[in-house]
Amino acid sequence: MTKIDTSSPESVLPTPSHTVGPFYGYALPFPGGGDIAPVGHPDTVTVRGYVYDGAGNPVPDAFVEVWGAGPDGAIPRVDGSIRRDPANGGYLGRNGVEFTGWGRVQTDANGHWYVRTLRPGARGAAAPYLSLCVFARGLLVHLFTRIYLPGDDAALAADPLLSELAPARRDTLVAREEPGGTYRFDIRLQGEGETVFLEYT
């Protein structure tokens, strides 16, 4: 056994440094995590984008969770986004029929993410939106935001949250329409064009 003399500061060795976690690549990703919409549903939309850090670099190991209402504005009450084999606990995948409204995806090496979900309907005074939660290295607390889809200018103008924001800040919450039922929504964690993040109390 080696004894260390701790009475002298020079004799105490520094502890090794390590990267601040948490790390999301183990156990949390699951196949088909972004395929939220039932197969062949006519209201399916694809939302895609990139996660960028404060320097404008893509974040290759972020996690994005998305959840939202169905086309009728109702919040799904269906269990089963992650179905497991009762015999061995393995992942069976979604059943492809029921809409749970929830999905989880990891960004790829280029910081890209996407989900296929149903276009949400309006709930109350708010314009239709998807809720989004971001987990990433360097974030000790996950971040919440919203994705509003374009198409109903009157609803967007009347939305209680959007109407409180300056135009440049408001634009960070509205996706851009692309061809083929696809919407682009980039997430900027800080710096110029930082996405508006929400705090729930």
Side-chain angles (χ1 to χ4, degrees):
M1 173 185 270
T2 304
K3 290 189 175 184
I4 298 175
D5 177 12
T6 58
S7 62
S8 168
E10 292 82 19
S11 65
V12 178
L13 300 174
T15 58
S17 63
H18 65 279
T19 303
V20 174
F23 303 100
Y24 302 106
Y26 176 73
L28 289 176
F30 61 98
D35 295 324
I36 306 166
V39 175
H41 197 289
D43 294 317
T44 299
V45 295
T46 298
V47 182
R48 69 176 199 88
Y50 293 83
V51 178
Y52 295 108
D53 65 16
N57 298 316
V59 180
D61 52 2
F63 249 62
V64 177
E65 289 188 351
V66 176
W67 65 101
D72 60 356
I75 299 295
R77 305 287 182 205
V78 178
D79 293 332
S81 289
I82 306 175
R83 293 169 55 244
R84 301 249 177 224
D85 185 323
N88 63 20
Y91 177 71
L92 288 175
R94 298 176 189 268
N95 66 15
V97 176
E98 296 174 299
F99 176 66
T100 66
W102 179 85
R104 177 194 293 149
V105 293
Q106 186 172 10
T107 56
D108 66 16
N110 298 314
H112 183 258
W113 64 276
Y114 83 94
V115 295
R116 286 179 50 261
T117 189
L118 298 183
R119 186 180 183 99
R123 298 186 69 235
Y129 65 87
L130 297 169
S131 294
L132 188 131
C133 185
V134 182
F135 303 81
R137 58 185 155 91
L139 292 179
L140 299 182
V141 178
H142 47 278
L143 302 172
F144 295 98
T145 190
R146 290 180 178 178
I147 304 172
Y148 290 89
L149 301 180
D152 188 340
D153 292 341
L156 293 173
D159 182 83
L161 172 63
L162 293 178
S163 62
E164 293 292 319
L165 299 172
R169 302 297 290 141
R170 175 185 183 276
D171 289 346
T172 70
L173 296 180
V174 181
R176 295 192 323 263
E177 189 167 6
E178 296 184 326
T182 300
Y183 296 89
R184 172 80 179 262
F185 187 82
D186 293 334
I187 303 159
R188 299 185 184 277
L189 299 179
Q190 60 180 341
E192 185 176 348
E194 177 183 320
T195 301
V196 170
F197 295 106
L198 309 175
E199 183 175 298
Y200 295 98
T201 56

